[in-house]
Amino acid sequence: MKHNVIASHKVIGTIISIIVFIILFKYLAVQIGDTTENATLAPAWLSLVTAIFGPISGAVTAFIGHATSDALVNSTTATVWWTWTIADSLFGLFIGLITRRLAIFIGELTTRKLVLFNIWQLLANIVVWLIIAPLGDHWVYNLSLVESMKEGALIVLVNTLVIAIIGTMLFKIYQHFAVN
């Protein structure tokens, strides 16, 4: 019985997480300079979601959230940028595996856990946004690999900072309220 309760909490939590992700990704985004890329709080939210509900929830949240946001942005054509949607999903999976491995919310949330998490999230950002997404753009959409890597590098920088600052604060806030 307890397993079903936990599973139902994960499903409900994932559904709510997707809704929050879409709002953060689409409606609370700030355009970065003169690029088509946006800075958003969605990666920080995704890191918290994966730490609470696990890697599958993170992957599903990122996949559905990113695909839905793309479809809403391009509502006239309903164009979803699938290479980046898949990359975002893999990022959610990677972050979930990292938070699970580090046992972020098991025991005390130490400085060591947070530093290790931020090192690993930087590496996950690099793998996803400098390798997977640009290669996907090049192979699927025949885009310039150099341009895709430039966009990816910008996203690595922005996502890493957002997660390191806002994600770490969300971890601390959640830990404070979960323990008290």
Side-chain angles (χ1 to χ4, degrees), residues 91-170:
F91 183 72
L93 179 71
F94 293 159
I95 293 296
L97 293 171
I98 292 164
T99 55
R100 177 169 286 165
R101 175 75 174 138
L102 294 174
I104 289 289
F105 294 132
I106 296 174
E108 187 178 341
L109 182 63
T110 63
T111 302
R112 180 181 186 279
K113 283 183 182 180
L114 292 173
V115 168
L116 285 172
F117 168 76
N118 280 298
I119 291 169
W120 281 106
Q121 68 97 353
L122 169 62
L123 294 173
N125 268 302
I126 289 169
V127 167
V128 168
W129 304 115
L130 277 180
I131 298 170
I132 295 171
L135 286 175
D137 285 353
H138 182 68
W139 292 335
V140 174
Y141 300 114
N142 202 26
L143 296 177
S144 164
L145 190 57
V146 172
E147 288 301 314
S148 293
M149 290 186 85
K150 284 180 185 176
E151 287 181 358
L154 185 60
I155 294 302
V156 167
L157 177 65
V158 171
N159 283 0
T160 300
L161 290 174
V162 165
I163 293 171
I165 297 166
I166 307 298
T168 298
M169 287 183 351
L170 289 174

Side-chain angles (χ1 to χ4, degrees), residues 20-95:
V20 172
F21 185 95
I22 292 168
I23 291 168
L24 294 174
F25 196 82
K26 179 175 174 16
Y27 298 107
L28 294 176
V30 177
Q31 189 173 354
I32 304 170
D34 61 351
T35 69
T36 59
E37 302 307 321
N38 292 321
T40 174
L41 298 176
W45 173 254
L46 187 61
S47 65
L48 178 65
V49 167
T50 61
I52 297 169
F53 299 115
I56 301 302
S57 178
V60 169
T61 296
F63 184 85
I64 295 173
H66 194 129
T68 304
S69 295
D70 276 2
L72 291 172
V73 167
N74 306 314
S75 58
T76 55
T77 60
T79 302
V80 175
W81 204 256
W82 289 111
T83 53
W84 282 57
T85 299
I86 292 167
D88 217 355
S89 180
L90 289 171
F91 183 72
L93 179 71
F94 293 159
I95 293 296

